Amino acid sequence: ADLTGLPLANASLLDEGTAAAEAMTMTYNVARGKRSVFLVADDCHPQTLAVLATRAKPIGVEIRMSPAERLIADESVFGVLVSNPSTRGVVRDFSDVCEQAHDVGAMAVIVADPLALTLMKSPGEMGADVAVGSTQRFGVPMGYGGPHAAYFATHDRHKRRVPGRLIGQSRDSRGKRALRMALQTREQHIRRDKA
């Protein structure tokens, strides 16, 4: 949460591509399926783009790709996804992209390297609604298996839609410290074609 600049975070997703696809699904559900286009920068990692395409088709989402410097959302777009740094290592400030997405009622998702976030402007500071990425950058060797857990961060108002597990601390009935695990309780929307 500190690195992403967003108040709610977990690290229990399969990999970065899956986390990006979950962000796409969440933003689609927030829009209640009234919009069908997910706008994606074409310089995201190829494996992330592949997972997005696989997950988009069954729920009726159209993936529209564009160069990162020319991303412009319109009224058909429910979410915008960019990668910082890009698959080519380019670092950008996506504040304008986030603002423009919000202007048309869309949500902004930034795929961000958590180690790079120790030096870069955070997704939250840029205005992102969701930040995702791989935690492998924190040094877990590839030899321990993989893929490595991905993180997912967002605003508190979306906590019921966050995939995976959230661990929180509270007090039990005797006032002792207690840890609580909350599993996802996301809404699922089914698109139905009108006959």
Side-chain angles (χ1 to χ4, degrees):
D2 289 344
L3 292 173
T4 63
L6 293 163
L8 183 68
N10 72 13
S12 64
L13 286 108
L14 179 64
D15 58 16
E16 185 172 292
T18 302
E22 289 288 354
M24 175 185 68
T25 302
M26 187 188 94
T27 57
Y28 180 68
N29 287 338
V30 168
R32 301 268 183 215
K34 294 177 183 168
R35 298 174 178 207
S36 61
V37 176
F38 193 59
L39 187 59
V40 179
D42 64 3
D43 62 357
C44 293
H45 294 318
Q47 62 271 23
T48 299
L49 298 174
V51 175
L52 286 171
T54 300
R55 296 281 288 278
K57 189 175 180 179
I59 60 174
V61 168
E62 174 192 343
I63 301 286
R64 188 181 299 161
M65 297 201 357
S66 173
E69 59 277 358
R70 292 198 306 253
L71 285 171
I72 298 177
D74 59 33
E75 301 295 327
S76 67
V77 174
F78 64 85
V80 177
L81 183 131
V82 294
S83 186
N84 203 24
S86 72
T87 196
R88 295 177 197 93
V90 177
V91 174
R92 296 182 181 92
D93 183 339
F94 285 109
S95 299
D96 57 337
V97 171
C98 295
E99 183 178 350
Q100 196 273 329
H102 295 153
D103 287 347
V104 297
M107 293 177 72
V109 179
I110 297 180
V111 179
D113 177 330
L115 191 57
L117 289 177
T118 61
L119 299 174
M120 296 179 353
K121 187 175 183 180
S122 74
E125 290 175 297
M126 290 184 211
D129 300 288
V130 181
V132 298
S134 174
T135 61
Q136 193 281 328
R137 297 287 288 147
F138 288 134
V140 178
M142 292 300 282
Y144 284 173
H148 298 276
Y151 73 88
F152 189 107
T154 189
H155 294 285
D156 193 59
R157 65 183 170 272
H158 301 302
K159 66 184 166 194
R160 295 296 219 170
R161 297 175 191 270
V162 172
R165 300 178 294 278
L166 293 174
I167 307 297
Q169 181 176 321
S170 62
R171 299 279 172 197
D172 67 14
S173 60
R174 292 169 285 188
K176 292 187 179 181
R177 184 177 154 246
L179 297 177
R180 184 177 75 79
M181 182 173 77
L183 299 176
Q184 65 189 18
T185 57
R186 296 180 296 164
E187 298 175 30
Q188 296 296 318
H189 296 280
I190 299 171
R191 184 180 165 140
R192 293 191 178 115
D193 293 328
K194 294 181 181 177

